[in-house]
């Protein structure tokens, strides 16, 4: 099954999909920016929450070189 078709992601899958490390993942959860759920011992992120998190990230603003 293609990971993009899933409705929920494990931590490792989320990190691979969005190009972040586990430390950044858990930092985002601790700060309340990313909603994670527990399914038994496994931590998951629903696709809708992953997309909402990605859309909430600030745009990169580059300062023109002088």
């Amino acid at each position: 099954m293609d990971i993009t078709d899933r409705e929920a992601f494990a931590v490792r899958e989320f990190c691979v999909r969005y190009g972040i490390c586990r430390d950044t993942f858990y930092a985002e959860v601790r700060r309340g920016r990313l909603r994670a759920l527990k399914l038994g011992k496994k931590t998951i992120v629903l696709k809708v929450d992953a997309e909402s998190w990605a859309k909430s990230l600030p745009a990169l603003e580059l300062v023109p070189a002088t």
Side-chain angles (χ1 to χ4, degrees):
M1 173 182 243
D2 185 9
I3 190 174
T4 58
D5 294 335
R6 294 202 178 169
E7 292 300 317
F9 306 103
V11 174
R12 185 182 67 219
E13 295 167 337
F14 178 89
C15 291
V16 168
R17 180 180 173 120
Y18 290 99
I20 64 171
C21 68
R22 289 175 58 87
D23 288 342
T24 300
F25 171 85
Y26 284 109
E28 289 295 288
V29 172
R30 275 192 304 278
R31 291 180 182 123
R33 296 181 195 160
L34 176 61
R35 182 174 177 247
L37 306 170
K38 291 300 283 187
L39 181 59
K41 293 181 179 182
K42 191 171 202 166
T43 302
I44 63 170
V45 178
L46 298 178
K47 184 177 185 178
V48 66
D49 293 325
E51 291 171 347
S52 177
W53 171 81
K55 288 178 184 174
S56 74
L57 294 173
L60 176 62
E61 295 183 26
L62 298 176
V63 177
T66 56

